[in-house]
Amino acid sequence: AQKVTQAQTEISVVEKEDVTLDCVYETRDTTYYLFWYKQPPSGELVFLIRRNSFDEQNEISGRYSWNFQKSTSSFNFTITASQVVDSAVYFCALSEAAATDKLIFGTGTRLQVFP
Amino acid sequence: AAGVIQSPRHLIKEKRETATLKCYPIPRHDTVYWYQQGPGQDPQFLISFYEKMQSDKGSIPDRFSAQQFSDYHSELNMSSLELGDSALYFCASSSRLAEYEQYFGPGTRLTVT
């Protein structure tokens, strides 16, 4: 069965600190996709990244970076030099490679960045 | 670029009433998904449609039904509403051309009183 675990329920940091959000997944499929979404207080789901199971390269986008390690079934997300605007709930999600497969979300990590 | 449109954005209903949520996918997207997010919870998959046929079904109550129409928009019908149905309902759309990446709408916040 597919499962996504985000063990960190809530993280608080002070602005400019670096913070890493952990994501561990379970799947029996050899082909799958991993995602990160941001949900600010306004409620919408903002897509951040999608990574397929055959691409283990780390990715960096501005202050955001992602570390995908199949050996540990982890897909961690790091925010460098955090800002107050980064305060949100962050969800990690998993889907099979089937064309119309649903997303399985983790329980989310609430990040609070204080000035 | 056009995004997924959901209407209404907010809806207040009383117990035992009926509600209809609408979703207009991104043009040329052929797949629609519905998710329910309760307060403080993660989004849970309800149902999906591909080319107007139901493609997958999650933990959707029997009181709920949905369909995708010829113009690819979708409606989620909810009857005999319960207090526990209060949630944020997201619609997402995708297509082969978009490599089936799911684009989410802004959500409909349903409050049942």
Side-chain angles (χ1 to χ4, degrees):
Chain A
Q2 296 177 315
K3 185 179 178 182
V4 176
T5 300
Q6 295 180 255
Q8 304 152 308
T9 304
E10 192 162 335
I11 300 175
S12 295
V13 298
V14 177
E15 248 187 335
K16 298 182 184 175
E17 283 186 20
D18 297 348
V19 58
T20 295
L21 309 183
D22 297 333
C23 173
V24 174
Y25 62 92
E26 294 176 32
T27 179
R28 293 180 182 174
D29 298 316
T30 56
T31 303
Y32 50 89
Y33 287 95
L34 295 164
F35 303 77
W36 276 95
Y37 285 88
K38 173 182 179 181
Q39 187 172 43
S42 51
E44 72 269 26
L45 282 169
V46 179
F47 168 82
L48 295 179
I49 190 171
R50 181 177 76 168
R51 173 68 75 223
N52 75 54
S53 53
F54 297 107
D55 183 1
E56 285 194 74
Q57 278 193 334
N58 291 334
E59 175 140 349
I60 298 175
S61 176
R63 297 183 297 107
Y64 295 170
S65 63
W66 292 269
N67 183 296
F68 175 28
Q69 293 197 352
K70 288 179 76 171
S71 61
T72 56
S73 297
S74 65
F75 187 43
N76 296 337
F77 172 34
T78 298
I79 301 175
T80 303
S82 59
Q83 300 176 1
V84 173
V85 292
D86 296 327
S87 297
V89 179
Y90 291 85
F91 290 100
C92 181
L94 167 72
S95 77
E96 294 175 343
T100 56
D101 196 50
K102 59 186 176 293
L103 295 178
I104 304 295
F105 286 85
T107 50
T109 297
R110 180 178 299 278
L111 174 65
Q112 294 196 69
V113 182
F114 294 99
Chain B
V4 177
I5 297 172
Q6 290 188 248
S7 69
R9 294 292 309 278
H10 301 272
L11 190 59
I12 299 175
K13 290 286 186 178
E14 294 187 355
K15 280 195 314 183
R16 292 180 288 276
E17 284 192 323
T18 298
T20 297
L21 310 186
K22 297 184 179 183
C23 170
Y24 297 87
I26 292 172
R28 292 182 295 282
H29 278 200
D30 51 21
T31 306
V32 167
Y33 312 77
W34 287 97
Y35 294 84
Q36 177 193 56
Q37 185 180 25
Q41 298 180 3
D42 54 289
Q44 295 287 319
F45 172 73
L46 292 177
I47 196 167
S48 62
F49 294 88
Y50 169 66
E51 282 292 344
K52 293 155 279 186
M53 298 288 289
Q54 181 180 307
S55 56
D56 197 3
K57 194 172 181 180
S59 49
I60 183 170
D62 291 340
R63 299 177 289 107
F64 293 9
S65 64
Q67 58 181 321
Q68 186 178 30
F69 294 86
S70 57
D71 63 351
Y72 294 97
H73 94 272
S74 178
E75 295 184 2
L76 177 65
N77 297 294
M78 310 158 69
S79 63
S80 302
L81 287 169
E82 302 173 357
L83 295 179
D85 296 328
S86 295
L88 194 53
Y89 290 82
F90 287 104
C91 172
S93 74
S94 70
S95 73
R96 181 181 60 80
L97 290 177
E99 297 183 340
Y100 290 101
E101 185 172 303
Q102 294 185 29
Y103 293 81
F104 280 82
T108 293
R109 188 171 296 280
L110 172 66
T111 302
V112 181
T113 62

